[in-house]
């Protein structure tokens, strides 16, 4: 089956500055994709290219097999049938909630239109405020109106540009799950852009981590965390430290805290240069890889601690001088300076060639 | 505790910010909320009003610190204002009373019509006045809206040759008082004017087909050319600040850019456009000079005639009361649109790319803009210069300098008074932001909508009454014949000016004050700055540009103001505007040119700041 959305080697430049470079991705119908990256990585530009607000200077964007953009061509946004939820929602301030939602339904009959608006109002849970104006709504409600407005014409694809960045943290978490349910109910295909990984994890089926205009890894959340493709992804997703290690064989690597077993790296090929015995590598150790164990002979000093409710994030100084993080249930309350027992508990290895000094 | 000294501005810790000049031009304060991007910080009184007593260090009295403090002029301003706060509180109410008294005076004659005066008015002039006013209001608002919105759209949304130039140049007509454009138009296109004379000679025809300039259409055209910039200003602001986001949203919902304009851009700008139209309408109703030049009778000229030709103050105030009712209806409409504007404000997003227009369409637009600019600004200025050079040798004499001196002196007094009162009011409102104070401020700034002729009547009557009362008291108590104490003095005039132009100065000073949030005050106090130091090092640099703008605008407005000056001036106090009135009522266009040139030059002043600021 053809993917619903396909980007092939697209490039975009503002003047001489290349913002998006050789970027490719595919999205199946009904899937929710996400472009995740720090600000300025070009993720919003990709979204605007897909929407048709920006042209591409190379490559091709197609939806359902139909070309939307390529080097010399850019189908106007209004003919793409792609919906968009803007970061600032861009609600029309002079129109009521229902007029906003019905705005894109101008080709429908009046009755049909009213029915669709009513349906969308119910879907996003705003059935009781159809006649309010945007300024009378809370941030979360405005967000829902923006979503309903974009979904109302049943677009082939929905784009969401940092949709939750204007909301406070608690609302963000709740609304992102809600939005996922709405999108799945409507069987919508969507791409979300965000810099917040929690948001990405909560909503998206597949996530592309972007850096400097390129997708570093396109994968499911689990793999991004546990099997990062490169150092950038390893650093950007989740927390963790790199500890120096030495390859014992293609299945084992030794670090200060012990020996880790597992494929190494996970996409290892037979002629892999990394896995040769004796090679020096950096091993990614996540906070959940180090377990607190009072009986362990291995001791590390608490340098810093952050109480997080259910657990405490300890920053530890290892005997060899290295720094590591450890997530420990919060009733194990230790003072800074105290030496606590730790044990390595991993089932796979993430290692990268040591960076040149 | 180290105290900041007020040396260089940078040492104050607050760099003098670039000024947001108020958006008030030609006597009408364009509402701050007309600008979608104006910061709207509530200026609340710091709740933890700190009383800082110098010399108290760590709870113990330190005499050295005290003497050092006073020597440097850092005594406790906070403590001072705290005690004086009950006095501050009254200022907005006093000023509101100054507006309410004239309005009340005039309105009272509406509810207590004196039978024969009313009868006479109804029989003679009233229906003509109403019809004239109706057509004028309708024509000018329709014309100014069409012209203003179309020009705003072209310069804000499209790209055509000369767009950048026209964007600011189309504001220029604001520098010319409408009555000046009016007499230039008459002088040029009248039967004996150069245009018709030349055409007659050239065509060898009696030119019977040539439309009469001195007609309803003539007045309307002149006023449209003079007042379209209000609509242009607001509509342009709306178009520009809408940004591209909403248009993009429309596109993603299946509308092309052109469809988006009519379906979205225009409806979204409606409150601004309506606001601009209301301003133009208020100017039209307040206008005296233009209609006087054209002999087109409206309420303002009728009020003047009732007073000075018929010597009937009751008739004048009766007419004034009718006009005020019409004006109030407009004010209510304007306030309505203003509140809509507040809600329709959009967050500022990236500016939309302009629609490129080329070929004959682009030249049509450029031609349209040039035509407007030519008739509204260039032609009057050129004709004025020609006339002025003709009469310069004869008219530039002691008397001319006296008119100029009177105008400048009056404007300076009025500016100082108005700006001081506005500043005090802004401070008072900052200290006490209770509903009553806010209502008082609101009322105080409504004076700008009152036509000068109405104000003159409304101020004159109570002052005459006060004079009589004082005279009687003096007679009874001291057996002294006081004569007229206040009536016919500069005080009457200044009071009327202040009432009318307070809004003009209030708006920029208030916008500047909005930038001084209560946390800035608290930060200054927290850094050890005493009240006076805060005032000098923090407030003044921030307010400076606002005060400057206010002063410039009031200065120019007072110079141009015709009816108040005519009706309340002390005997012999002829100003430039008075001279223009006298000369134009005799059809001496050339002689009116020289004083008009001075007014136009003065009018260009605030416009330069304004243009520099908006087109930055």
């Amino acid at each position: 089956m053809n993917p619903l959305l396909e980007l092939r080697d697209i490039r975009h430049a503002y003047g001489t500055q290349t913002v998006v470079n050789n970027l490719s991705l595919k999205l199946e119908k009904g899937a929710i994709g996400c472009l995740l990256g720090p600000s300025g990585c070009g993720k919003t530009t990709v979204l605007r290219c897909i929407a048709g607000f920006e042209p591409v200077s190379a490559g091709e964007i197609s939806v359902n097999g139909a070309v939307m953009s390529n080097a010399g061509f850019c189908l106007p946004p209004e003919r793409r049938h792609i919906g968009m939820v803007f970061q600032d929602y861009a609600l029309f301030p002079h129109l009521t909630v229902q007029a906003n939602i019905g705005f894109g339904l101008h080709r429908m009959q009046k009755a049909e239109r009213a029915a669709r608006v009513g349906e969308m109002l119910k879907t996003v849970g705003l059935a009781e405020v159809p006649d309010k104006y945007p300024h009378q709504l809370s941030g979360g409600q405005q967000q829902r109106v923006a979503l309903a407005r974009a979904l109302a014409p049943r677009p082939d694809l929905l784009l969401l540009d940092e949709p939750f960045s204007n909301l406070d943290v608690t609302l963000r978490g709740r609304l992102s799950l809600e939005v996922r349910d709405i999108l799945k109910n409507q069987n919508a295909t969507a791409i979300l852009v965000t810099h917040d990984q929690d948001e990405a994890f909560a909503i998206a089926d597949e996530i592309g981590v972007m850096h400097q205009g390129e997708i570093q890894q396109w994968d499911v959340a689990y793999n991004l965390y546990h099997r990062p493709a490169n150092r950038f992804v390893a650093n950007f997703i989740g927390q963790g430290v790199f500890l120096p290690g030495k390859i014992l064989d293609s299945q084992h690597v030794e670090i200060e805290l012990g020996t880790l077993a597992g494929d190494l790296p996970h996409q290892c090929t037979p002629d892999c240069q990394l896995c040769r015995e004796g090679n020096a590598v950096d091993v990614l150790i996540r906070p959940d890889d180090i377990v607190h164990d009072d009986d362990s002979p291995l001791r590390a000093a608490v340098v810093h601690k952050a109480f997080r409710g259910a657990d405490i994030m300890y920053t530890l100084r290892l005997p060899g001088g290295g720094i590591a993080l450890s997530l420990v249930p919060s009733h194990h309350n230790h003072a800074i300076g105290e030496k606590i027992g730790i044990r390595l508990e991993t089932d796979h290895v993430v290692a990268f060639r040591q960076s040149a000094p | 505790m180290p105290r900041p000294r007020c040396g260089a501005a940078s040492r104050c810790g607050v760099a003098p910010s670039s000024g947001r000049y108020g958006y008030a031009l030609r006597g009408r304060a364009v509402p701050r909320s007309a600008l979608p991007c104006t910061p709207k910080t509530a200026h609340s009184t710091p709740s933890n009003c700190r009383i800082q007593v110098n010399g108290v260090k760590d709870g113990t009295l330190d005499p050295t610190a005290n003497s050092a403090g006073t020597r440097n002029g850092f005594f406790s301003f906070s403590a001072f204002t705290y005690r004086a706060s009950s006095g501050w509180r009254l200022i907005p109410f006093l000023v509101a009373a100054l507006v309410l008294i004239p309005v009340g005076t005039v309105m009272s004659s509406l509810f207590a019509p004196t039978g024969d005066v009313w009868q006479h008015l109804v029989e003679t002039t009233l229906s003509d006045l109403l019809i004239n006013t109706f057509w004028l209001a309708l024509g000018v608002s329709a014309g100014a809206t069409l012209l203003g919105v179309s020009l705003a759209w072209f310069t804000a949304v499209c790209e055509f040759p000369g767009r950048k130039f026209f964007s600011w140049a189309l504001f220029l007509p604001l520098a010319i008082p409408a009555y000046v454009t009016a007499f230039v138009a008459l002088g040029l296109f009248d039967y004996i004017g150069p245009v018709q004379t030349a055409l007659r000679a050239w065509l060898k025809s009696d030119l019977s087909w040539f439309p009469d300039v001195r007609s309803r259409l003539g007045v309307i055209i002149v006023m449209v050319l003079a007042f379209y910039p209000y609509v242009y200003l607001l509509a342009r602001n709306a178009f520009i600040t809408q940004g591209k986001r909403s248009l993009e949203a429309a596109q993603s919902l299946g509308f092309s850019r052109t469809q988006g304009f009519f379906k979205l851009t225009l409806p979204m700008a409606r409150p601004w456009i309506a606001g601009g139209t209301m301003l133009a309408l208020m100017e039209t109703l307040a206008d005296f000079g233009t209609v006087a030049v054209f002999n087109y009778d409206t309420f303002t000229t009728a009020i003047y005639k009732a007073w000075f030709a018929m010597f009937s103050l009751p008739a004048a105030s009766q007419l004034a009361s009718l006009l005020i009712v019409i004006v109030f209806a407009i004010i209510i409409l304007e306030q309505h649109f203003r509140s809509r504007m507040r809600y329709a404000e959009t967050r500022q997003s990236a500016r939309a790319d302009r629609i490129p227009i080329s070929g004959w369409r682009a030249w049509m637009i450029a031609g349209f803009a040039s035509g407007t600019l030519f008739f509204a600004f260039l032609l009057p200025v050129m004709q004025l210069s020609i006339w002025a050079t003709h009469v310069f040798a004869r008219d530039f004499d002691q008397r001319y300098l006296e008119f100029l001196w009177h105008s400048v002196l009056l404007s300076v007094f009025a500016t100082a008074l108005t700006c001081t009162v506005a500043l005090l009011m802004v401070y008072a409102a900052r200290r006490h932001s209770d509903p009553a104070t806010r209502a008082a401020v609101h009322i105080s700034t409504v004076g700008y909508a009152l036509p000068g002729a109405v104000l003159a009547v409304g101020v004159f009557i109570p002052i005459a009454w006060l004079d009589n009362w004082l005279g009687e008291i003096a007679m009874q108590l001291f057996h002294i014949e006081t004569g007229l104490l206040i009536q016919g003095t500069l005080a009457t005039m200044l009071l009327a000016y202040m009432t009318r132009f307070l809004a003009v100065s209030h708006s920029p000073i208030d916008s500047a004050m909005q930038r001084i949030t209560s946390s800035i005050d608290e930060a200054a106090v927290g850094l050890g700055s005493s009240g006076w130091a805060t005032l000098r090092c923090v407030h003044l640099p921030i307010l400076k540009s606002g005060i400057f703008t206010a002063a410039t605008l009031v200065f120019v407005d007072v110079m141009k103001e015709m009816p108040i000056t005519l009706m309340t001036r002390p005997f012999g106090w002829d100003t430039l505007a008075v001279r223009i009135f006298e000369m134009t009522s005799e059809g001496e266009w050339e002689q009116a040119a020289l004083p008009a040139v001075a007014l136009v030059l003065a009018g260009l002043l605030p416009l330069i700041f304004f243009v520099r600021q908006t087109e930055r």
Side-chain angles (χ1 to χ4, degrees), chain B residues 292-346:
Chain B
V293 167
F294 273 85
N295 269 333
Y296 183 86
D297 278 332
T298 62
F299 279 98
T300 50
T301 47
I303 293 168
Y304 180 78
K305 280 180 194 163
W307 191 344
F308 284 95
M310 292 154 59
F311 299 103
S312 166
L313 204 51
S317 77
Q318 204 90 79
L319 288 165
S321 69
L322 277 178
L323 181 53
I324 237 174
V325 169
I326 300 173
V327 167
F328 274 166
I330 310 277
I331 294 178
I332 290 166
L333 271 178
E334 201 250 333
Q335 302 276 334
H336 166 74
F337 288 120
R338 216 192 265 207
S339 63
R340 286 290 295 273
M341 266 187 245
R342 194 152 49 236
Y343 294 137
E345 269 173 26
T346 45

Side-chain angles (χ1 to χ4, degrees), chain B residues 161-198:
Chain B
R163 181 195 58 79
K164 259 199 143 129
F165 165 76
F166 287 116
S167 313
W168 63 265
L170 285 168
F171 285 118
L172 285 176
L174 280 178
I176 312 180
Y179 54 78
V180 172
T181 315
F183 82 73
V184 172
L186 271 187
L188 263 171
F189 297 106
D190 216 2
Y191 185 77
I192 51 162
V195 172
Q196 285 207 52
T197 312

Side-chain angles (χ1 to χ4, degrees), chain B residues 23-30 174 227 230 279 282-283 286 445-452 497 499-505 507 550 552-561 606:
Chain B
Y23 293 82
L25 289 162
R26 174 140 7 133
R28 282 292 172 272
V30 175
L174 280 178
F227 300 147
Y230 293 115
L279 289 178
M282 282 184 197
E283 280 287 351
T445 53
V446 161
Y448 76 96
L450 300 178
Y497 283 142
T499 313
R500 181 152 155 76
F501 297 122
L502 193 69
V504 176
S505 61
S507 158
T552 321
L553 290 170
V554 175
F555 184 86
V556 173
D557 272 331
V558 173
M559 269 189 98
K560 290 193 299 196
E561 173 60 43

Side-chain angles (χ1 to χ4, degrees), chain B residues 126-142 216 220 281 284-285 296-299 323 326:
Chain B
L126 200 61
S127 65
D128 279 346
L129 289 184
L130 283 171
I131 290 169
N132 275 354
T133 307
F134 172 77
W135 283 114
L136 189 65
L138 191 74
V140 175
S141 42
R216 180 172 289 155
I220 290 176
L281 199 51
T284 307
L285 292 177
Y296 183 86
D297 278 332
T298 62
F299 279 98
L323 181 53
I326 300 173

Side-chain angles (χ1 to χ4, degrees), chain A residues 308-326:
Chain A
R308 311 206 310 189
D311 38 40
I312 298 176
M313 177 75 82
Y314 284 107
T315 308
L316 305 172
R317 184 173 301 283
L318 304 176
I323 294 287
L325 297 172
S326 175

